[in-house]
Amino acid sequence: MENYRSPQRDAAFVAYELFDFQSHYEALDLEDVSPDLVKAIHAEAAKFADNVLAPINQSGDQEGCHWNDGEVTTPEGFKEAYKQYVEGGWPSMSHPPEWGGQGLPYSLATSIAEFFSGANHSWAMYPGLSQGCISTILAHGTDALKQKFLPKLIEGQWTGTMCLTEAHCGSDLGMLRCKAEPNDDGSYTLTGTKIFISAGEHDFADNIVHIVLARLPDAPAGTKGISLFIVPKFNVSDDGELADRNQVECGSIEHKMGIKASATCVINFDGAKGFLIGEPNRGLNGMFTFMNIARIGTGLEGMAASEAALQGSLRYAKDRTQFRSPTQRQGERSADPIIVHPDVRRMLLTQKAFAEGSRALAYYCMQQVDISQRSKDSESVQLAEARLALLTPIVKAFFTETAQEATSYGIQVYGGHGYISEWGMEQLARDTRISSLYEGTTGIQSLDLLGRKVLGSKGELLAVFLKEISAFCDTVDADEQTGLWCKQLGQAMQQWQKLTATVGKAAGANPDELGAASVDYLMFSGYVTLAYYWLKMATVAKQKLAEGTSETDFYQGKVATAQFYFARLLPRAQSHAAAIEAGAASLMDIGEDMFKAD
Amino acid sequence: MENYRSPQRDAAFVAYELFDFQSHYEALDLEDVSPDLVKAIHAEAAKFADNVLAPINQSGDQEGCHWNDGEVTTPEGFKEAYKQYVEGGWPSMSHPPEWGGQGLPYSLATSIAEFFSGANHSWAMYPGLSQGCISTILAHGTDALKQKFLPKLIEGQWTGTMCLTEAHCGSDLGMLRCKAEPNDDGSYTLTGTKIFISAGEHDFADNIVHIVLARLPDAPAGTKGISLFIVPKFNVSDDGELADRNQVECGSIEHKMGIKASATCVINFDGAKGFLIGEPNRGLNGMFTFMNIARIGTGLEGMAASEAALQGSLRYAKDRTQFRSPTQRQGERSADPIIVHPDVRRMLLTQKAFAEGSRALAYYCMQQVDISQRSKDSESVQLAEARLALLTPIVKAFFTETAQEATSYGIQVYGGHGYISEWGMEQLARDTRISSLYEGTTGIQSLDLLGRKVLGSKGELLAVFLKEISAFCDTVDADEQTGLWCKQLGQAMQQWQKLTATVGKAAGANPDELGAASVDYLMFSGYVTLAYYWLKMATVAKQKLAEGTSETDFYQGKVATAQFYFARLLPRAQSHAAAIEAGAASLMDIGEDMFKAD
């Protein structure tokens, strides 16, 4: 995907025409973050993504990472790109000035993360993991630990990781065994093996700071006995200089379906020195504050993949000629560009609807994160947190599930060529497949949405969001077309509430009803949610067209895609509704030995 | 997937309990093909698939094929496996005794092809392509050419290919440019380059016989100017011995998403000697007779992948422990096997419903191919051909599309481990992705189904099939459960007819309506068709249970899966129906320049 182009125009549309980020930033005392500044930062980030990261995406996949006796070498160009990233000041964007950060809003840092991920998913994971590590230390570290680790991390001289998973426990972290024993000097000695540690070892930086989940000696069993530790690859002196090597080693790297240029490490802690952060035994709670925001980042990977698939498919569909169109023949030639064919358009529009619909919802969530982090008005903070609680699992799971369809269409539009590595489409599909697995699988997100968020709040979180949609539909200046969409959306909202009530009641009698409905419930929610954002986008676009604009193609494309979405994608919610209504019986009635004869 | 086990029990169920292959073979004067013989052949084939092919599946993916100066070396063990395959007499099973074949029915040869493909998709392609070549020569070759090529091909000493695609034309073969010029001796000189030639070069056999589509000098443009040629890698003397090397060379092999152990070749014909088969300029017609049957084979690849994904997922779901079940706790342990969780069951049941539902439809089609090839009753032949005409594109496209979901669930059930190569699940997803591209993409199959078959027969082919389903529902001894399924199926059939009428009418006014509806129409048809076969299977299973059986798990599993299918999968047809009803406008209204801003 050397031709990947960061979607700057659409980013500006969503930020400034759809959500009025100018007023948003002003309300948060961020008037320095002017539209011009955002535009300039987006342009610089796009330059880096398109010209530095995209060109090493395919070669990185082909070369992969190399492990040798505990050391990991990343593919050619990766280290150099990281150096440029650090020199460009990108790592520090959204972090507090007191630790060397630029104090820019989360939304700005995250919007450019889409560009990086779209250009090169594997590469973008290294700095992405650092952000997780930094956020955790910021939230839970003592001042001394912050002083020791944050400046170098925020500057990008060091990178970070999150060490959660062990071989026998992924989703179910309550079973983890990694141990931390207290030392006399207040530090801890960590022992155990973690797997699937992204960016766990590499050649980008002088030091790697691991955030490790482990158990104290007297810890209770289960999730209530997990604590958080900082464990650096190299020990660090009190003045922040590198000291001796810690007992942390990369035992091997995984061979994977995709993101081959991202080192996925087995990390052995063999009596490693670490530092407790946060309350003992409360590590998982501390983690989840951060995890919710990290999950938005994972959702963005899916959205970025859908965007990249659209770009590639569109380029090919305009170039490749095959068959004549019955209605749109282009001159005297033996075949027309395949974009004339309805089924090719169906695939392109699906990619566009997912990529751009997701972008709208993503920016909305970024806005809410800004508010939750910076607003001084506690009601606004509370409302933003309520919105995020509901929407985060949708962003994570729906964006990454739809990315699988969008990238599969990327292959399909190319026909047999889509299966050939040189065209880049099959890599997109392989790379993005991870995003519905890590940071909580689609199944886990769905239980979070339905169980913890919707039913856990007794429907309150859902009601808040539905109220917002209703208010929009009530006040929008609807023409005939948008009026129909509002009606369709209104019906979907009613159904959403009804389904919630149905499942809630059933789950009261039989807790398996929750898991039986959860993934279909999340997909239903995703389709309805994106319909709302497509309605909003089309409304803005229609207004721009009515006012007169030089960008008629851009705005008409928005309206046409909304039409496509309401006509052909929103109806998919019905099959998910039917599956939810079918209940748990058809899943649970089958005995374990009935699945296979032999 | 070293643990792949050929699904012999289910194959026997479908062949003998569902479709009564005993009477079927007797009616075709094949009384020698007794149930015991079929069972023995299935057992031998399973032994070969499970013990020889499956163990080299993963290593083959990892090693891939090697190209060196026109020669291709296959991965370790592949050549030896082929030798065993030839020694076992497998290549000749279904071919006529007069050319060295064993004269066994198509259904028997094809049912074991599922085992081979499930064990090792890449390997199975080499002999699979030979079958295409043999069938073409059998159908169109002169006696002299048959004498020259068939015995060695049927024996398996030589292999064959089908050379259709060129760089600029895949689906649209009318544009092909490869040239064939007549020589004085009655042979032709072929010039041109073909791409995507599976098994185009390898180290299995002494000679490779290419079937090549090319144009004669005076050929009309388009599809009506294409002829069929035999072009061997080594020329063959009249007595069938190898002579000099022909001007056929493998220019390179492709790097692909999957089936990496299958050599996908660029083949250069640089003044190669070839022989016309069939009528000049009628090559494509000749090809399509065979292609229809070949497409069943490609559909089987999808079904085999769904089966393999089910096997792998089930093994893991019974072994991997994670979280407690709220309702099915298994003793005192920290976590239960994940098969207790409803969402894991949803994925397993989806895999089972697709794999086994597809197997039922596949065996039905195999039966119809037997009849079309061997029955002496012209009405039976006509009916079988009518059924196959309708069902073949469904088998090809629906089985391969659903295989993508089934293999993706394979990954998902394994969580992060599914993404790691050593577990085998990600390879399944990569390998099976090709099957909805080659032998006619899903888009092409869908146009074939809706345009050529359903509307092209003025609904007659669909009516024949719906009549069969109605007759079954009318006569089946339904209990309350099957009665409800019959009703659901009856409604789906009515809807199928109504949708057909709607699209037919719309397409009369606007031919783009055909392509706009086609893929959703195929998916709708697939979901309804599989419902019929699940109803049939459940009916047989209920009868067996009523009669008393030692295999209660097996039969109860069938009934439970039918219940799952009707409750949670058949409703998906509704979202496809909605997309069909939405029509072409939302696809065609968007201008080409409206898809992207930049």
Side-chain angles (χ1 to χ4, degrees):
Chain A
M1 298 295 296
E2 287 196 35
N3 292 314
Y4 172 80
R5 289 288 166 260
S6 298
Q8 295 181 66
R9 177 66 190 92
D10 205 50
F13 169 75
V14 175
Y16 286 97
E17 299 171 49
L18 195 62
F19 294 124
D20 189 8
F21 268 35
Q22 182 159 10
S23 309
H24 163 65
Y25 287 143
E26 282 167 8
L28 297 174
D29 296 332
L30 287 161
E31 37 298 278
D32 290 353
V33 188
S34 67
D36 281 348
L37 178 71
V38 171
K39 204 175 162 187
I41 290 178
H42 275 191
E44 276 305 305
K47 214 185 280 177
F48 180 66
D50 303 356
N51 301 337
V52 179
L53 299 182
I56 56 172
N57 185 39
Q58 191 169 58
S59 56
D61 177 65
Q62 281 157 4
E63 185 185 340
C65 289
H66 312 275
W67 181 94
N68 183 25
D69 196 19
E71 303 285 313
V72 171
T73 314
T74 56
E76 199 180 326
F78 271 54
K79 188 178 164 172
E80 292 72 18
Y82 185 75
K83 194 161 169 262
Q84 285 191 46
Y85 170 80
V86 172
E87 286 166 0
W90 299 110
S92 62
M93 276 187 73
S94 66
H95 298 301
E98 58 178 314
W99 303 112
Q102 300 173 57
L104 291 164
Y106 167 87
S107 54
L108 189 50
T110 306
S111 60
I112 64 167
E114 184 208 341
F115 301 174
F116 299 161
S117 183
N120 193 325
H121 185 151
S122 281
W123 184 92
M125 288 183 64
Y126 294 90
L129 267 294
S130 283
Q131 299 304 311
C133 171
I134 292 167
S135 302
T136 309
I137 298 176
L138 275 171
H140 304 290
T142 59
D143 269 0
L145 289 171
K146 285 179 181 169
Q147 188 61 59
K148 205 165 179 173
F149 293 105
L150 281 182
K152 288 275 170 58
L153 280 167
I154 286 174
E155 198 190 345
Q157 292 299 322
W158 300 348
T159 69
T161 78
M162 306 295 288
C163 299
L164 287 72
T165 304
E166 299 177 10
H168 65 289
C169 68
S171 300
D172 189 0
L173 288 169
M175 297 203 289
L176 73 81
R177 295 182 192 140
C178 195
K179 277 182 197 163
E181 310 217 33
N183 301 322
D184 294 342
D185 64 356
S187 71
Y188 291 79
T189 297
L190 279 92
T191 317
T193 296
K194 296 285 181 179
I195 66 166
F196 297 168
I197 307 309
S198 299
E201 183 57 58
H202 55 75
D203 51 7
F204 284 9
D206 301 331
N207 202 4
I208 299 173
V209 180
H210 303 283
I211 302 291
V212 184
L213 291 184
R215 288 186 186 285
L216 293 168
D218 54 351
T223 52
K224 288 173 181 164
I226 296 173
S227 306
L228 269 180
F229 298 87
I230 298 180
V231 185
K233 175 179 167 185
F234 284 95
N235 289 309
V236 177
S237 70
D238 289 339
D239 56 1
E241 294 305 304
L242 289 187
D244 57 320
R245 176 72 191 244
N246 204 353
Q247 297 307 307
V248 178
E249 201 171 28
C250 172
S252 62
I253 57 175
E254 306 286 352
H255 298 277
K256 311 185 297 292
M257 183 182 200
I259 52 163
K260 287 172 191 271
S262 166
T264 306
C265 304
V266 172
I267 300 286
N268 300 314
F269 298 95
D270 191 14
K273 187 174 180 180
F275 307 93
L276 177 71
I277 52 174
E279 302 272 310
N281 301 330
R282 303 273 301 160
L284 218 51
N285 304 52
M287 193 70 123
F288 270 103
T289 330
F290 152 71
M291 285 279 277
N292 264 327
I293 294 180
R295 285 171 172 179
I296 294 178
T298 311
L300 255 61
E301 293 172 357
M303 162 182 126
S306 294
E307 166 72 30
L310 168 63
Q311 290 187 18
S313 301
L314 189 58
R315 201 159 47 233
Y316 193 75
K318 287 182 174 182
D319 182 56
R320 172 78 169 177
T321 60
Q322 208 81 167
F323 293 118
R324 304 300 320 253
S325 161
T327 61
Q328 309 188 27
R329 287 174 182 244
Q330 300 184 353
E332 279 310 309
R333 49 202 299 176
S334 47
D336 294 309
I338 60 173
I339 197 171
V340 300
H341 302 308
D343 190 55
V344 171
R345 289 168 159 257
R346 178 185 64 83
M347 294 191 273
L348 294 171
L349 278 161
T350 305
Q351 294 170 323
K352 181 173 167 75
F354 286 147
E356 297 179 7
S358 298
R359 190 170 295 117
L361 171 54
Y363 275 64
Y364 178 77
C365 287
M366 293 177 202
Q367 197 175 35
Q368 303 308 310
V369 174
D370 286 347
I371 295 168
S372 75
Q373 290 179 340
R374 293 177 183 257
S375 171
K376 283 160 193 149
D377 174 44
S378 68
E379 253 181 66
S380 300
V381 170
Q382 220 176 346
L383 183 60
E385 284 175 350
R387 287 166 170 162
L388 285 170
L390 181 83
L391 294 174
T392 299
I394 298 176
V395 166
K396 161 63 167 83
F398 191 72
F399 291 10
T400 60
E401 290 289 331
T402 52
Q404 291 183 52
E405 182 175 347
T407 55
S408 185
Y409 285 161
I411 296 171
Q412 201 71 21
V413 167
Y414 279 69
H417 297 276
Y419 200 67
I420 306 298
S421 302
E422 78 178 276
W423 295 87
M425 303 313 286
E426 63 88 24
Q427 184 190 343
L428 272 179
R430 286 187 290 105
D431 285 353
T432 207
R433 185 66 186 82
I434 189 62
S435 300
S436 58
L437 296 164
Y438 64 15
E439 295 287 341
T441 63
T442 298
I444 295 295
Q445 302 302 325
S446 301
L447 287 174
D448 180 49
L449 173 69
L450 177 56
R452 196 174 315 182
K453 306 294 175 58
V454 174
L455 298 179
S457 73
K458 299 197 196 311
E460 182 56 30
L461 292 179
L462 177 60
V464 168
F465 185 56
L466 293 182
K467 209 171 126 189
E468 176 188 327
I469 304 180
S470 293
F472 178 79
C473 288
D474 288 347
T475 55
V476 71
D477 182 19
D479 60 18
E480 196 184 338
Q481 192 179 37
T482 42
L484 283 172
W485 297 342
C486 283
K487 204 177 143 196
Q488 235 183 303
L489 189 54
Q491 288 164 348
M493 286 195 289
Q494 277 184 6
Q495 194 180 13
W496 197 350
Q497 281 180 305
K498 211 178 131 210
L499 288 168
T500 305
T502 305
V503 178
K505 201 178 156 198
N510 173 10
D512 279 334
E513 293 286 350
L514 206 67
S518 52
V519 169
D520 283 292
Y521 185 88
L522 184 138
M523 294 304 289
F524 177 93
S525 307
Y527 279 111
V528 180
T529 301
L530 243 56
Y532 167 52
Y533 289 96
W534 270 111
L535 172 65
K536 280 178 86 86
M537 285 195 280
T539 306
V540 170
K542 281 177 182 239
Q543 198 183 325
K544 296 279 175 184
L545 288 165
E547 290 164 10
T549 167
S550 63
E551 296 180 298
T552 47
D553 278 345
F554 179 77
Y555 293 112
Q556 285 179 355
K558 289 286 179 198
V559 177
T561 308
Q563 174 61 41
F564 169 80
Y565 191 90
F566 278 89
R568 299 188 67 122
L569 295 184
L570 181 56
R572 292 185 181 181
Q574 294 316 307
S575 63
H576 294 292
I580 294 165
E581 284 164 351
S586 68
L587 303 177
M588 304 313 289
D589 284 354
I590 183 168
E592 286 179 24
D593 296 327
M594 295 178 196
F595 280 90
K596 277 300 285 179
D598 336 285
Chain B
M1 298 295 296
E2 286 197 36
N3 291 314
Y4 173 80
R5 288 289 167 261
S6 297
Q8 294 181 66
R9 177 64 191 94
D10 205 50
F13 169 75
V14 174
Y16 287 98
E17 299 170 51
L18 193 63
F19 294 125
D20 190 7
F21 269 35
Q22 183 160 9
S23 308
H24 162 65
Y25 288 144
E26 283 167 9
L28 297 175
D29 296 332
L30 287 161
E31 33 306 272
D32 290 354
V33 188
S34 67
D36 282 348
L37 178 71
V38 170
K39 204 176 162 186
I41 290 177
H42 275 190
E44 277 304 306
K47 213 184 282 176
F48 179 66
D50 303 355
N51 302 337
V52 179
L53 299 182
I56 55 171
N57 185 38
Q58 192 168 61
S59 55
D61 176 64
Q62 282 157 5
E63 185 185 340
C65 288
H66 312 276
W67 181 94
N68 182 26
D69 197 19
E71 304 286 311
V72 170
T73 314
T74 56
E76 199 178 328
F78 271 55
K79 186 179 167 173
E80 293 72 19
Y82 185 74
K83 193 160 169 262
Q84 279 186 242
Y85 170 80
V86 171
E87 285 165 2
W90 299 109
S92 62
M93 278 187 72
S94 66
H95 297 300
E98 58 179 314
W99 303 111
Q102 298 173 59
L104 290 164
Y106 166 87
S107 54
L108 189 50
T110 306
S111 59
I112 63 168
E114 183 207 341
F115 301 173
F116 299 162
S117 183
N120 193 325
H121 184 151
S122 281
W123 185 91
M125 289 184 63
Y126 295 89
L129 267 293
S130 284
Q131 299 303 312
C133 170
I134 292 166
S135 302
T136 309
I137 298 176
L138 275 169
H140 305 289
T142 60
D143 268 1
L145 288 170
K146 285 179 180 168
Q147 188 62 60
K148 205 164 176 174
F149 292 104
L150 282 181
K152 288 274 170 58
L153 280 167
I154 287 175
E155 199 190 345
Q157 293 300 322
W158 300 347
T159 69
T161 78
M162 307 294 289
C163 299
L164 286 72
T165 303
E166 299 178 9
H168 65 290
C169 68
S171 300
D172 188 1
L173 289 169
M175 296 203 288
L176 74 80
R177 294 181 193 142
C178 195
K179 278 183 197 163
E181 310 218 31
N183 302 321
D184 293 342
D185 65 355
S187 70
Y188 290 80
T189 297
L190 278 93
T191 317
T193 296
K194 296 285 181 178
I195 67 165
F196 296 167
I197 307 309
S198 299
E201 183 58 57
H202 55 74
D203 52 6
F204 284 9
D206 302 330
N207 203 5
I208 299 173
V209 180
H210 303 284
I211 303 290
V212 185
L213 291 185
R215 287 188 186 284
L216 293 168
D218 54 352
T223 52
K224 287 173 183 166
I226 297 172
S227 306
L228 270 179
F229 298 85
I230 299 180
V231 185
K233 175 178 168 186
F234 285 94
N235 288 309
V236 177
S237 71
D238 288 341
D239 56 0
E241 294 304 306
L242 289 187
D244 56 321
R245 177 72 191 248
N246 203 353
Q247 298 308 308
V248 178
E249 202 173 26
C250 173
S252 62
I253 57 175
E254 306 286 352
H255 299 277
K256 312 183 298 289
M257 181 182 202
I259 55 166
K260 289 174 191 269
S262 166
T264 305
C265 303
V266 172
I267 300 285
N268 299 315
F269 298 95
D270 191 14
K273 187 174 176 180
F275 307 93
L276 178 71
I277 53 174
E279 303 270 311
N281 301 330
R282 302 273 299 160
L284 217 53
N285 305 52
M287 194 70 123
F288 270 104
T289 330
F290 152 73
M291 285 278 278
N292 264 326
I293 295 179
R295 285 171 172 180
I296 294 178
T298 311
L300 255 61
E301 292 171 359
M303 159 182 129
S306 294
E307 166 72 30
L310 168 64
Q311 291 187 18
S313 303
L314 188 59
R315 200 159 50 232
Y316 193 75
K318 287 182 173 180
D319 182 57
R320 172 78 169 180
T321 60
Q322 208 81 167
F323 295 117
R324 304 300 320 252
S325 162
T327 60
Q328 309 190 24
R329 287 174 181 247
Q330 300 185 355
E332 281 309 310
R333 51 201 301 176
S334 48
D336 294 309
I338 59 172
I339 196 170
V340 301
H341 302 308
D343 190 56
V344 172
R345 288 166 161 257
R346 178 185 64 82
M347 295 191 273
L348 294 170
L349 278 160
T350 304
Q351 294 170 323
K352 182 174 166 71
F354 286 147
E356 297 179 7
S358 298
R359 191 171 294 114
L361 170 55
Y363 274 65
Y364 178 78
C365 287
M366 294 176 202
Q367 198 175 34
Q368 303 309 311
V369 174
D370 286 347
I371 295 169
S372 75
Q373 290 179 338
R374 293 176 182 258
S375 172
K376 282 160 193 145
D377 175 45
S378 67
E379 253 180 64
S380 302
V381 171
Q382 222 176 345
L383 182 59
E385 285 175 349
R387 288 165 169 162
L388 286 170
L390 181 82
L391 295 174
T392 299
I394 297 176
V395 166
K396 161 59 168 88
F398 190 72
F399 291 11
T400 60
E401 290 290 331
T402 51
Q404 292 184 50
E405 181 175 349
T407 56
S408 184
Y409 285 162
I411 295 170
Q412 200 71 21
V413 168
Y414 278 68
H417 298 276
Y419 200 68
I420 307 298
S421 301
E422 79 180 275
W423 295 87
M425 303 312 285
E426 61 89 23
Q427 185 190 343
L428 272 180
R430 286 187 290 105
D431 284 353
T432 206
R433 184 65 187 85
I434 189 62
S435 299
S436 57
L437 295 164
Y438 63 16
E439 295 288 340
T441 63
T442 297
I444 296 293
Q445 302 302 323
S446 300
L447 286 173
D448 180 49
L449 173 69
L450 178 56
R452 196 174 314 181
K453 306 295 175 56
V454 174
L455 299 180
S457 73
K458 300 201 194 312
E460 182 57 28
L461 292 178
L462 177 59
V464 167
F465 184 57
L466 292 181
K467 210 172 127 189
E468 177 187 328
I469 304 180
S470 293
F472 178 79
C473 289
D474 288 346
T475 57
V476 71
D477 183 20
D479 59 19
E480 196 184 337
Q481 192 178 38
T482 41
L484 283 172
W485 297 341
C486 283
K487 203 177 143 195
Q488 235 182 303
L489 188 53
Q491 287 163 349
M493 286 196 290
Q494 277 184 8
Q495 194 179 12
W496 197 351
Q497 282 180 305
K498 211 179 131 210
L499 288 168
T500 306
T502 305
V503 177
K505 200 178 156 198
N510 173 9
D512 278 334
E513 293 285 350
L514 204 68
S518 52
V519 168
D520 283 292
Y521 186 89
L522 185 138
M523 294 304 289
F524 177 93
S525 306
Y527 279 111
V528 179
T529 301
L530 242 59
Y532 168 52
Y533 289 95
W534 269 112
L535 172 65
K536 280 178 86 88
M537 285 195 280
T539 307
V540 170
K542 282 178 179 239
Q543 197 182 326
K544 296 280 175 183
L545 288 164
E547 289 164 12
T549 167
S550 63
E551 296 180 297
T552 47
D553 278 345
F554 179 78
Y555 294 112
Q556 285 178 355
K558 289 286 181 199
V559 177
T561 309
Q563 175 61 41
F564 168 80
Y565 191 90
F566 277 90
R568 299 186 69 122
L569 295 184
L570 181 55
R572 293 183 181 182
Q574 293 317 308
S575 63
H576 295 293
I580 294 166
E581 283 165 350
S586 68
L587 302 178
M588 305 313 290
D589 283 354
I590 182 168
E592 286 179 25
D593 296 328
M594 296 178 194
F595 280 90
K596 276 300 286 179
D598 334 288

